[in-house]
Structure formats: C-alpha cells, structure tokens
Amino acid sequence: MPKNEQPVFESQPFESWGCYPKYQASLVPLNWAQEFPPKLENMASSALPVGMGRSYGDVCLLDGGTLLSTLGMDRMMAFDAQTGMLTCEAGVTLADILNFAVPRGWFLPVTPGTKYVTLGGAIANDIHGKNHHLAGTIGSHIKQFELLRSDGSSKLCSPTENPDWYAATIGGLGLTGLISWAQIKLRPIVSRLITYEGIQFHGIDEFLALSRASEHIEYTVSWVDCTSTGKNFARGIFMQGDHSPEPAPLTTSTEPKLFFPFDAPGFALNHFSVGLFNALYFHKQFKKRVTALVDYEPFFYPLDKVLHWNRMYGKRGLLQFQCVLPWETEHHGITEILKAVTASGLASFLAVLKVFGDVPSPGMMSFPKPGITLALDFPIKPGTSFPLFDRLASMTLDYGGRLYPAKDARMTAAEFQAFYPQWKEFERFRDPLITSSFWERVTP
C-alpha cells in the first residue's frame, strides 16, 4: 500500500506482506539518521530496520524485538539531471522515485513487481526485475551509500570504498546496520509507454526458446498456469517489452483507488476457482501473439492498482515460494517442481517464470544466479501448504538451486546454510544490535 496509508507504528502491529508469521514487536519511528542508534532504555535488546514490510515472510520481522521504521527518512537529497544520479534517504519508496524522476525523463534501472518498497529495503534484499538478463540486480546500480552502525560509527560504502561492507550490505537483509542514504543511477526514458508483446506458449521448451530469442529485449517475464495438466501442462504467456523510443508526455502516476476491503474466506481460492481464472487469463488474448503500446504502470505493477490485494488469500495469509535453478538442471527441475505443485491440489494464479542472466550480483548474499526462477503464491491451508513448501524446498536443494529469503517463511536452517554457504563469512559483518526472526530461524 502507498506510504501515506501506513499505520502509526506505535499503536498498530507490523506484518509482512504475507501476513505470516504473526509476531509482536515494539515499533520505533526513525525520522533522521542521527536517531540511530536509538536510546536503549525502553527498547528490547535487539532491533531491525524496516521499511514498507513488503517482504513475504519474516526477514522484516523480529519477534519480541524492536522494529525501527525508516519511513520518516524519505527526503530527496541531490539529483544530477545530466547523468540521472539520484541521492536520497533510505526511506524513500520506489513510487516516490518514479514520481520525481519520470517527469524529468528518468526511470528506475531495476524494479520489482511492486513500487511500494523503500530504497533501503530494495538494497537489503538486492531486488531483481524483468530485466535481470541485461541489467542485473538493483545493487549493480547503487553507486554508494552510508551505513550507520550501532556503535555510533558510519561507513561510506561503494565498490571502491569499504567494498567488503558494500558487498555485505547489498542483499544483507538489513542486518549490517542502518542505510541512511544511497545514490542510485537512473536510466533515461522519453515516454511512459512500453512496446509490449505477449506470446502464448505450451511447456517449458517453448518458454526457453522464447527466452533465448528475446535476449536483446530489455524486459521479459512469463505467467505460467500451474493448474492445467496433459497437453496444457505448463502453458503460459511470455511477456516482453522495451521503453518506447517515441517521445510522449511524461506525467506522474495517479494514486490507486481500488482496494480489497476484507479478508476473503478461506474457501474462495481453491483448485477449481484458480483453474478457471488461469484458463480465462490464458485465453484473454485471442491470438497466439499480440502487440500493443501500454503504460509502464500495468506492465511493471499490475497488482499495485488494487490496495491490500494480499487480503484475497484470507486471514491466515499467504506463502510465496521463489527458487532459482541453475541452467544445468533447470529444464527437468522446473518441470518436476511444477508437477509437484499441480499434483498437490493447491493452486497459484500468481505464478511467474523468468530467466536470470549472467550479470553478477554485487551482494555477498544476493539471491539471483544464472538460470531460471519460478515464483508461486499460495493461500495458507492447514495440513497442505506447509508440507508442499517443505517438499519444494527439498527439491530445490536437490537440483542445486536456492530460495529467496525475501519471499520465505519456511526454509530450514540446514537448507539455508546449504543455499548460502557464505553465511558464516557474512555473519562477521552483522551489526551486534541487529537481527531478525528469519536470521534467528536459519542460523544457530
């Protein structure tokens, strides 16, 4: 949801976007970098900086601890209109950056599927987008930032200054300290429009062929049907696009007016209803291949137009599974994972298939690596969801892949340490005041 809809943290609970797990924590707003580290008299012994809470699991939660909200640190500090270099505080959201930059002819170099995340959170999770095969993660476009430590010290971090702290903080899950400000290199645009092409495919072979043929296209992503079997197994729509080269008005976006008003009943999302939605979605384009000029908002952020869309999963919340499998195993591995999902009886209508390129992530703990990534959302259903997720995590490990901490609420300590064997090296960069429920779950 937009930042101005955030609750007053002192009186309201803080949940991740998945609304699971549900933990209690003290909430302390930070409005200025000088307020970190906060006074400890009325604080728990550990703390965690948080932004918009759009992570799905517990990387932005700290059971019984203190959450330090950075949303008050939302000031633009400097901008070079010739180079597109923007310096701003870590609590600025990607929506804020777009509202500032688009009318000036600039755009985010990398963006996830929602613009309602803070820049600090984007760096902490080293977010990726539809252009990973060409642009890598957002960390590749962060030129420098200031890192504040709980001992009162500060570090200017860049690829050349304190490069080890730079690498540990990008993708470091907010555990190395507080990012007070960061400098990001934007990319130029002359229009809000995207030259879009949607292509129907049947099966992983066709998806991979389309991915290879579109390596020169800036943005590519696929929706995949996880309910159909037989000849329709793994059918989907391959979506690709570039920024339009034709000049057009560069205006700011309007705030969304639609919202999901209540938690949907648990039975609403079932295999039948999601299967029906998936069939309608696949056939919404009557031709195998369609082209159009579309605004960047529905292309990048289709779900942002409905506030609180996570409520459609019910009061128990939702789980997201996102894995990446290396090229050596991606075809067989992704096929077997999709078969396991289809056979489970659970259904996901937000199923995304995407290729990761070989642009190296600058972060020590970054998730992406060359291969294919699959992301699936499921409502939490007792007795069904957790066993499926445990099986999918085990399959990911067997196929040499790894899971994305920003989307996780289930991986075990043994799995995490196998996915990220560098975690012990990373641990020495963690601020002694800072931890998270995720980190305490996956490390001794």
Side-chain angles (χ1 to χ4, degrees):
M1 57 185 153
K3 182 166 53 179
N4 58 15
E5 289 197 7
Q6 284 294 309
V8 178
F9 281 179
E10 291 85 344
S11 60
Q12 297 289 332
F14 186 91
E15 292 183 330
S16 67
W17 193 244
C19 301
Y20 174 86
K22 299 182 185 296
Y23 291 143
Q24 295 295 318
S26 301
L27 295 157
V28 175
L30 298 179
N31 296 304
W32 301 93
Q34 293 85 343
E35 295 172 349
F36 181 84
K39 294 181 180 179
L40 301 179
E41 289 86 353
N42 299 314
M43 235 180 79
S45 59
S46 56
L48 177 69
V50 296
M52 294 289 284
R54 292 302 286 262
S55 300
Y56 280 68
D58 53 1
V59 297
C60 63
L61 303 179
L62 181 55
D63 190 18
T66 298
L67 299 177
L68 306 173
S69 169
T70 64
L71 296 186
M73 299 170 59
D74 61 353
R75 288 163 279 268
M76 304 289 180
M77 299 170 64
F79 180 64
D80 187 328
Q82 300 301 313
T83 64
M85 196 71 73
L86 174 66
T87 305
C88 56
E89 290 183 312
V92 169
T93 66
L94 301 189
D96 295 332
I97 293 176
L98 289 169
N99 285 338
F100 174 85
V102 168
R104 293 170 170 83
W106 297 91
F107 198 78
L108 292 164
V110 170
T111 181
T114 176
K115 60 183 178 178
Y116 298 127
V117 299
T118 62
L119 181 59
I123 295 170
N125 293 285
D126 200 16
I127 59 168
H128 55 272
K130 297 176 175 66
N131 59 347
H132 183 275
H133 60 292
L134 295 178
T137 63
I138 200 169
S140 300
H141 307 274
I142 301 298
K143 301 308 176 183
Q144 59 180 342
F145 54 82
E146 181 185 49
L147 181 69
L148 305 181
R149 300 276 290 176
S150 63
D151 61 6
S153 64
S154 65
K155 299 179 185 294
L156 183 64
C157 302
S158 74
T160 57
E161 188 166 357
N162 293 309
D164 51 348
W165 288 94
Y166 176 84
T169 302
I170 294 174
L173 308 177
L175 300 174
T176 62
L178 175 73
I179 301 172
S180 61
W181 58 263
Q183 188 178 73
I184 182 171
K185 179 71 166 64
L186 304 179
R187 57 100 69 224
I189 58 170
V190 296
S191 170
R192 289 178 58 97
L193 298 177
I194 301 292
T195 57
Y196 167 81
E197 186 170 19
I199 308 165
Q200 292 178 340
F201 65 86
H202 287 80
I204 300 301
D205 284 334
E206 285 191 26
F207 162 77
L208 291 173
L210 288 168
S211 297
R212 287 189 292 268
S214 65
E215 290 177 346
H216 62 292
I217 304 293
E218 184 166 3
Y219 302 107
T220 65
V221 70
S222 293
W223 167 84
V224 62
D225 182 356
C226 292
T227 59
S228 295
T229 58
K231 66 178 183 179
N232 290 326
F233 174 72
R235 66 181 176 180
I237 299 176
F238 189 90
M239 295 167 275
Q240 60 187 30
D242 285 308
H243 290 281
S244 173
E246 299 298 325
L250 290 165
T251 57
T252 57
S253 297
T254 58
E255 287 296 316
K257 295 181 174 60
L258 299 175
F259 67 95
F260 209 88
F262 54 84
D263 291 328
F267 61 81
L269 290 181
N270 54 58
H271 196 272
F272 174 78
S273 63
V274 174
L276 178 61
F277 170 87
N278 284 357
L280 293 172
Y281 189 85
F282 180 78
H283 292 292
K284 69 175 181 150
Q285 61 178 62
F286 297 105
K287 300 178 181 179
K288 179 178 177 62
R289 187 182 295 257
V290 299
T291 59
L293 277 175
V294 299
D295 188 78
Y296 77 77
E297 285 279 352
F299 181 76
F300 290 108
Y301 314 116
L303 291 173
D304 280 350
K305 66 182 178 182
V306 181
L307 302 177
H308 309 294
W309 62 261
N310 55 340
R311 291 175 178 171
M312 74 176 68
Y313 287 88
K315 64 181 180 180
R316 291 193 183 96
L318 69 143
L319 297 173
Q320 184 168 103
F321 167 84
Q322 184 167 8
C323 69
V324 57
L325 300 186
W327 286 120
E328 295 79 13
T329 63
E330 100 293 329
H331 186 286
H332 180 67
I334 290 295
T335 299
E336 292 304 307
I337 286 175
L338 288 173
K339 285 180 178 178
V341 172
T342 302
S344 72
L346 286 176
S348 172
F349 65 90
L350 296 177
V352 176
L353 200 58
K354 170 79 178 76
V355 164
F356 281 154
D358 56 6
V359 180
S361 298
M364 180 188 302
M365 296 286 288
S366 294
F367 162 69
K369 64 178 180 178
I372 187 170
T373 181
L374 173 67
L376 306 165
D377 286 353
F378 296 97
I380 294 177
K381 294 185 179 294
T384 307
S385 304
F386 292 158
L388 173 63
F389 269 64
D390 294 344
R391 184 183 176 197
L392 297 182
S394 178
M395 294 173 72
T396 300
L397 183 61
D398 290 342
Y399 288 117
R402 59 184 175 217
L403 300 183
Y404 191 14
K407 304 293 183 69
D408 177 71
R410 288 295 297 173
M411 79 172 100
T412 66
E415 288 166 344
F416 170 78
Q417 292 166 33
F419 295 145
Y420 298 92
Q422 67 274 36
W423 75 271
K424 287 187 177 180
E425 179 188 359
F426 169 79
E427 172 70 18
R428 69 186 181 92
F429 293 96
R430 187 171 66 85
D431 189 291
L433 174 70
I434 296 177
T435 187
S436 68
S437 290
F438 172 85
W439 194 251
E440 299 197 352
R441 172 165 62 90
V442 299
T443 60

